[in-house]
Amino acid sequence: MSTLKVVAEPGFDVAKVRADFPILREVINGQPLVYLDNAATTQKPEAVIEAIANYYRHDNANVHRGVHTLSDRATRHFEDAREKVAGFLNSPSSRQIIWTRGTTEAINLVAYSWGMNNLKAGDRVLVSWLEHHSDIVPWQLVAERVGAEVVPIPVTADAEIDLDAFEALLDERVKLVAVNHVSNAMGTINPVAEICARAKAMGALTLVDGAQAVGHWDVDVQSLGCDFYCFSGHKLFAPTGIGALWGREELLESMPPFLGGGEMIETVSFAGTTFNTLPFKFEAGTPNIAGAVGLAAAIDYLSNIDRVAAAAHEDALLTATLEAALEIPGLRRIGAPKHSAGIFSFILDGCHPSDVGMLLDEQGIAVRTGHHCTQPLMAHFELPGTVRASFSMYNNRDDVDRLIAGLKKAQSLFGPR
Ligand SMILES: *Cc1c(COP(=O)(O)O)cnc(C)c1O
């Protein structure tokens, strides 16, 4: 049925990758699932599902506590997983990897621990218009408490960060710049190395929200030159409830604990408590051990995949989708970033995004509709929301064909004649 040309990427066998993801064999509303909501969460390969089940079958115990063999095994798995994440991000040391529930908790950790103790009245935190609510609201909460200000960095009509406007905002009041590596609403790949370099030249710290980047490529925090980087496991083919914050070691050393409790202390008395060393200082309470095991399994799984070829495959799918979709009368792409990671955000004239989403769901096609946790960006484009199709390495040309057929159907039902 297809007339679209999606050339297979050398070194990347999409059929083989698809076979690793059992959920892709689900039938939804009588049709094989087309999963195009990868920017919300990615699916999990068998290897990750098995690693979690095996951990509970064979190794489950609490970490860093027992003297018994299982506790030892659980601790080893948990700390090996930390090493894996350190390797994945090219961190100089695993002490710089703090386990969190995900990106949101990681940003809150920095906002409360660093921000509450370093931001003063009159200081500024710059965040872009492209940010997810989780890279806006924590800064607002802290800024309000200390009298600082959260100032947005403008974006262009193509949904790219306006670097000249950014430069103009950079002055001595700016203490931290927080931007995402990839926009979850528009797919924009932001020039974060350049943004970090400019911020650093002005003496500001930088935090990069990598939630949307890790699903597409391996990250090198050292070459990015940022001070903090964070991501969520569930957007990296791993479980929900686990993620990581990476920080520059001397900064993390200088920051007070965020949450208090077990695990993060050295000694506790009513005269006063002393805190554990990095990374444990920031990890109060029993952590998500199985989640860390699952995340390590996802990183192992990806180490056997040519990620450069996978990203090229995703680009080819996006290009084919754009070519066909932009022929549909009344369909308008929102944002047209030059560098984009597998995300197509659009509206169909005369048709509410959620109606498009429901019509696609009836055909077994999962997309996201709404504001994508980026209400300021939607307000900027004067839209209540968009329809968003987001690709991952396991999507194929059949998914593109089915999406286009679904959109044509939506157009014929609700669109302009
Ligand atoms: C998903 C996402 C977040 C939030 O991640 P959680 O897993 O919900 O904590 C933040 N920023 C971006 C860019 C995202 O895509």
Side-chain angles (χ1 to χ4, degrees), residues 17 31 35 41 59 62-63 80 105 145-147 153 166 175 181 309 321 335 338 346-347 403 413:
V17 171
Q31 306 266 6
Y35 187 75
T41 200
D59 306 315
N62 211 331
V63 291
D80 284 353
E105 187 179 291
R145 299 264 285 268
V146 302
I153 307 166
F166 169 57
K175 295 298 185 292
H181 201 164
T321 303
K338 273 187 287 302
F346 62 95
I347 55 171
L403 173 68
L413 288 176

Side-chain angles (χ1 to χ4, degrees), residues 188-212:
T188 319
I189 301 172
N190 290 312
V192 285
E194 188 178 343
I195 289 169
C196 290
R198 291 195 195 185
K200 188 173 181 176
M202 282 303 295
L205 295 184
T206 49
L207 177 140
V208 178
D209 165 356
Q212 212 54 245

Side-chain angles (χ1 to χ4, degrees), residues 38-41 100-107 130-135 179-185 209-213 230-235 240-243 343 372-374 388:
N38 294 287
T41 200
T100 66
R101 282 191 295 141
T103 306
T104 304
E105 187 179 291
I107 297 173
L130 289 173
E131 296 317 299
H132 188 283
H133 295 163
S134 67
D135 197 27
V179 289
N180 57 38
H181 201 164
V182 171
S183 153
N184 64 301
D209 165 356
Q212 212 54 245
C230 51
F231 73 93
S232 302
H234 71 97
K235 290 177 178 171
T240 51
I242 189 77
I343 287 176
H372 318 297
C373 300
T374 56
R388 179 187 71 187

